[in-house]
Amino acid sequence: MSGREDAWGFETRAVHVGQEPDETTGAITVPIHLATTFVQAAPGQHRGYEYSRTSNPTRAALERSVAGLEGARHGFAFASGMAAEDALVGLLRSGDHVVLGDDAYGGTFRLIARVYGERGIEWSAADLADADSLAAALRPETRQVWMETPTNPMLTVVDIAAVADAAHSVGARLVVDNTFATPYLQNPLGLDADIVVHSSTKYLGGHSDVVGGFIAVDDEGLAEQLAFVQNAAGAVPSPFDCYLLLRGIKTLGVRMDRHCGNAVEVASYLNDHPAVATVLYPGLVDHPGHQIATRQMSGFGGMVSCILAGGEAAAVAAVSSTRVFQLAESLGAVESLIEQPSTMTHLSVADSPLAVDPGLIRLSVGIETIDDLLADLDQALA
Ligand SMILES: *Cc1c(COP(=O)(O)O)cnc(C)c1O
């Protein structure tokens, strides 16, 4: 970012960084540049763009935008969150070791354990909120520690600076999946993380209409490696996808304020409900990670999980009978969603150390009118 942009507040950056008016036409929104190739005056004499897999003006705008929101020097957009994660795990070699959280996103676990595990990458799962569990998992060959906070679906809060310290003590890099918190609520690079990864499919897009991924880093050497892999492997988003993300990002701050406000109300409603055994939400004062969340986040997010007293049968009944909350995978968009992780988003981790309670339900609290959300839960839990 330039000096002036550095001083801007979050919402101003979300609307303007990377999204300056078009130089040739004055268009106030970033054009969708569909061109696959760019004309050169003489061989090698181009205006910064040659071929759209390598770089594209609409994608470049998105990369500047999200890097700006994360306070990062470099940003790389990918065709999905998993494509972004694949670019990072792909930096490792046979014999290298990875530590991941014991309630990591199921797809992250599948990528590291199944895809790369079968090619000689070693891995261990640890409770990253427990310093002893993390210390026991680290090895001299550990190259990456992967963490989420709040985690999915248990909403455990993990101290980013503490895990960064531990990772760095063995020479490993800390990767933080910032999908749940978004850069509006939490900036991991400012807490000593080395790499931030996003599924921009979720809050960054925010409207359930685009799949995307993102990596933000400060380190120059790492940025060079990622630019190489992004071009060499080519898992890039289309210009239209980049446009949809830029459009979503402009309202990220106002959406997150509403997601957080509604989630606080939903969590306290569930907390008082006799059918609910446990509510998992970092905004509740008795949540074990509440203090850390207060320190490292500027709000508690829009995700709420709870374990129903009636176990699996009650969970299936509840997620099947809401009307405003839609039963679907994914999260982070304007629509409220509800799901049962054990049979849906976390089916790929059944019978692994990451398996989840079948009585658990996960809510992605949207931006609808709060009274309608509470009334919907009331009839579904009755
Ligand atoms: C959805 C998600 C991913 C994967 O992203 P895709 O865009 O679906 O490929 C990774 N991490 C978290 C926390 C997610 O929620």
Side-chain angles (χ1 to χ4, degrees):
M1 278 191 284
S2 73
R4 185 183 63 135
E5 293 172 356
D6 270 339
W8 277 344
F10 186 92
E11 291 84 348
T12 313
R13 283 181 277 144
V15 173
H16 293 290
V17 173
Q19 312 210 44
E20 293 77 13
D22 182 54
E23 274 182 24
T24 48
T25 63
I28 198 156
T29 53
V30 173
I32 302 170
H33 287 280
L34 295 172
T36 54
T37 191
F38 298 83
V39 175
Q40 313 195 4
Q45 256 185 56
H46 54 78
R47 302 173 220 189
Y49 300 99
E50 295 161 88
Y51 182 64
S52 272
R53 167 163 40 75
T54 316
S55 63
N56 168 280
T58 315
R59 192 172 94 221
L62 173 65
E63 291 176 335
R64 280 191 54 213
S65 169
V66 183
L69 297 182
E70 285 292 1
R73 278 200 272 278
H74 304 281
F76 302 92
F78 287 85
S80 68
M82 293 318 304
E85 296 194 7
D86 182 61
L88 291 168
V89 187
L91 299 175
L92 303 176
R93 299 187 179 187
S94 177
D96 287 348
H97 175 252
V98 179
V99 173
L100 79 165
D102 61 8
D103 64 342
Y105 176 72
T108 305
F109 171 76
R110 183 173 54 194
L111 178 73
I112 292 172
R114 301 272 312 279
V115 178
Y116 284 92
E118 284 166 19
R119 299 185 204 163
I121 304 293
E122 308 278 320
W123 63 275
S124 327
D127 176 358
L128 300 178
D130 172 0
D132 295 335
S133 171
L134 171 57
L138 290 169
R139 301 181 194 168
E141 317 77 68
T142 308
R143 293 285 170 273
Q144 294 177 349
V145 174
W146 281 71
M147 67 171 277
E148 296 165 39
T149 181
T151 65
N152 177 21
M154 300 306 287
L155 297 166
T156 304
V157 175
V158 181
D159 186 331
I160 296 173
V163 177
D165 256 5
H168 295 160
S169 74
V170 296
R173 282 183 169 130
L174 175 61
V175 183
V176 177
D177 182 333
N178 207 26
T179 301
F180 271 37
T182 82
Y184 183 63
L185 301 179
Q186 171 174 285
N187 289 128
L189 296 179
L191 297 165
D192 282 347
D194 303 286
I195 300 168
V196 171
V197 64
H198 279 283
S199 168
S200 29
T201 312
K202 316 296 167 52
Y203 289 104
L204 294 180
H207 295 75
S208 307
D209 56 7
V210 57
V211 171
F214 203 87
I215 301 172
V217 299
D218 272 336
D219 184 81
E220 300 295 331
L222 192 53
E224 259 173 51
Q225 280 180 297
L226 289 169
F228 175 80
V229 168
Q230 186 193 40
N231 180 48
V236 293
S238 76
F240 186 63
D241 290 352
C242 296
Y243 168 77
L244 285 174
L245 287 166
L246 284 165
R247 182 175 167 123
I249 285 164
K250 285 179 197 263
T251 57
L252 180 62
V254 289
R255 283 187 286 111
M256 289 313 292
D257 282 343
R258 176 64 77 98
H259 284 298
C260 292
N262 280 355
V264 166
E265 302 249 356
V266 165
S268 73
Y269 166 83
L270 293 171
N271 213 23
D272 291 338
H273 200 290
V276 177
T278 315
V279 180
L280 307 167
Y281 184 65
L284 296 172
V285 286
D286 58 357
H287 184 281
H290 182 69
Q291 293 302 330
I292 300 166
T294 305
R295 204 168 63 231
Q296 77 185 8
M297 302 174 79
S298 61
F300 302 106
M303 299 300 296
V304 179
S305 291
C306 66
I307 300 170
L308 295 185
E312 179 165 14
V316 171
V319 301
S320 308
S321 50
T322 52
R323 295 177 195 138
V324 183
F325 280 88
Q326 300 292 315
L327 175 59
E329 299 195 3
S330 199
L331 61 108
V334 291
E335 308 88 4
S336 288
L337 301 181
I338 192 165
E339 65 123 1
Q340 184 196 26
S342 63
T343 54
M344 296 174 65
T345 49
H346 287 63
L347 190 58
S348 67
V349 297
D351 307 318
S352 83
L354 288 77
V356 292
D357 186 333
L360 183 84
I361 62 176
R362 189 188 78 180
L363 295 90
S364 173
V365 182
I367 66 165
E368 300 95 333
T369 310
I370 185 62
D371 292 346
D372 297 329
L373 296 179
L374 298 181
D376 191 34
L377 293 173
D378 219 40
Q379 63 80 27
L381 292 171

